[in-house]
């Protein structure tokens, strides 16, 4: 049985963002605290005892405190049920939380060579000493089974695959530590329980829905998908920034080429948006955008939501 916990559903900055006075952030600070959300990450387990994080957001410490499934076992001075972290990209949203896991508990970081090269090039990540924290490269379209701390198989099979996207924004105009050739900066994941065959897809970043992607995820029982912005020019029209969703490597929810329209008719059992920016009006429960997304079968989860397959 697969158990999935949404640790956070928001994009970079969370909701409310520390320096933002947009409509969503204002409401999240005052009359609608239920809008508050931490930055996107999920945890997955096949046995309910050992868990793997998918990305380590800057809010990880707060998320772990709020998630009983990830608390140390009672009676042990040092313990964590977290066996590993799988990184789908090298953005701050996905890797900064690793620094909150530097207290000497053993786990493994699984990431593409290009993302591992980013960690290696930044000496601050050396606080995760490789004596306790192994770094294991994963390959596109090659299944792997993350291991438990004692080396035993986890019972979870993960297939990383290429997704349209871009390298981390802080590398714009700079040489990529992992080289400029080939894919690897933005991955999707197919995560399966080997015992039951149940599976789901995780795509926290995606710049476009290709025919290959449609064929891959069609008929899936559960898909977590990039929900950063409602419309591509959302940040610009709201006066909150100068970049489009596309320029940041994210598809819009709406529009002819948006996620809602592009993934319609694929017989997906449950569709869940993640990595939702505070500028996105679909966060507001009474908005026309939220109603449109829900009519199309999409869910915007609260932090702590648990899904079982």
């Amino acid at each position: 049985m697969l158990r999935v916990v949404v640790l956070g559903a928001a994009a970079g900055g969370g909701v409310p963002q520390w320096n933002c006075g947009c409509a969503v952030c204002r409401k999240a600070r005052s009359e609608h605290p239920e809008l508050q959300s931490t930055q996107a990450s999920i945890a997955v387990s096949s046995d309910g005892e050992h868990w793997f994080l998918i990305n380590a957001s800057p809010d990880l410490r707060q998320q772990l405190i709020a998630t009983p499934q990830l608390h140390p076992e009672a009676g042990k001075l040092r313990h964590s049920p977290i066996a590993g972290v799988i990184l789908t990209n090298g953005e701050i949203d996905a890797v900064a939380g690793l620094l909150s896991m530097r207290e000497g508990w053993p786990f493994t970081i699984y990431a593409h060579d290009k993302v591992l090269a980013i960690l290696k090039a930044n000496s601050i990540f050396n606080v995760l000493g490789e004596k306790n924290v192994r770094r294991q490269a994963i390959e596109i379209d090659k299944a792997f089974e993350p291991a438990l701390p004692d080396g035993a198989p986890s019972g979870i099979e993960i297939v990383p695959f290429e997704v349209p996207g871009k390298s981390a924004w802080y590398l714009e105009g700079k040489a990529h530590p992992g080289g400029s050739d080939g894919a690897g900066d933005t991955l999707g994941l197919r995560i399966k329980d080997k015992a039951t065959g149940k599976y789901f897809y995780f795509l926290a970043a995606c710049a476009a829905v290709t025919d290959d992607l449609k064929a891959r995820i069609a008929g899936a029982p559960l898909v977590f998908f990039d929900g950063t912005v409602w419309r591509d020019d959302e940040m610009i029209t709201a006066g909150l920034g100068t970049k489009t969703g596309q320029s940041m490597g994210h598809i819009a929810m709406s529009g002819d080429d948006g996620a809602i329209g592009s993934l319609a008719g694929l017989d997906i059992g449950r569709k869940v948006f993640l990595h939702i920016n505070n500028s996105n009006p679909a966060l507001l429960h009474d908005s026309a955008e939220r109603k449109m997304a829900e009519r199309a079968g999409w869910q915007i989860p609260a932090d702590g939501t648990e899904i079982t397959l």
Side-chain angles (χ1 to χ4, degrees), residues 178-256:
S180 58
D181 296 332
D185 281 303
T186 306
L187 299 179
L189 303 175
R190 182 183 189 269
I191 302 173
K192 183 177 79 171
D193 180 357
K194 295 180 70 173
T196 65
K198 299 290 187 180
Y199 68 96
F200 69 95
Y201 284 92
F202 178 90
L203 299 98
C206 182
V209 176
T210 63
D211 289 340
D212 177 71
L213 180 57
K214 289 181 182 180
R216 188 184 291 268
I217 68 176
L222 170 66
V223 173
F224 290 97
F225 199 82
D226 186 345
T228 306
V229 293
W230 177 257
R231 48 183 285 180
D232 188 52
D233 63 351
E234 178 175 296
M235 297 284 289
I236 298 170
T237 58
L240 297 172
T242 60
K243 292 186 175 183
T244 64
Q246 281 290 303
S247 69
M248 296 186 291
H250 298 285
I251 190 173
M253 287 185 181
S254 67
D256 293 339

Side-chain angles (χ1 to χ4, degrees), residues 40-57:
S41 176
I42 66 171
V44 60
S45 175
S46 64
D47 61 10
E49 296 182 18
H50 304 92
W51 292 81
F52 293 88
L53 306 183
I54 312 300
N55 294 333
S57 90

Side-chain angles (χ1 to χ4, degrees), residues 61-122:
R61 181 180 176 277
Q62 175 183 346
Q63 292 167 343
L64 299 186
I65 291 171
T67 308
Q69 299 93 323
L70 303 180
H71 290 178
E73 186 176 331
K76 293 187 177 181
L77 289 177
R78 287 286 190 271
H79 171 263
S80 173
I82 297 171
V85 181
I86 297 93
L87 303 177
T88 64
N89 60 71
E91 291 284 5
I92 291 172
D93 299 3
V95 305
L98 292 172
L99 300 177
S100 295
M101 302 176 74
R102 65 189 183 276
E103 282 79 19
W105 184 258
F107 66 96
T108 301
I109 299 171
Y110 300 87
H112 190 274
D113 274 331
K114 293 188 77 172
V115 174
L116 291 179
I118 292 172
L119 300 184
K120 185 176 182 179
N122 192 327

Side-chain angles (χ1 to χ4, degrees), residues 18-38:
W18 69 280
N19 64 342
C20 186
C22 74
V24 173
C25 289
R26 290 198 310 271
K27 291 184 178 183
R29 290 188 185 97
S30 55
E31 72 267 30
H32 291 288
E34 71 277 5
L35 293 174
Q36 295 178 11
S37 181
T38 58

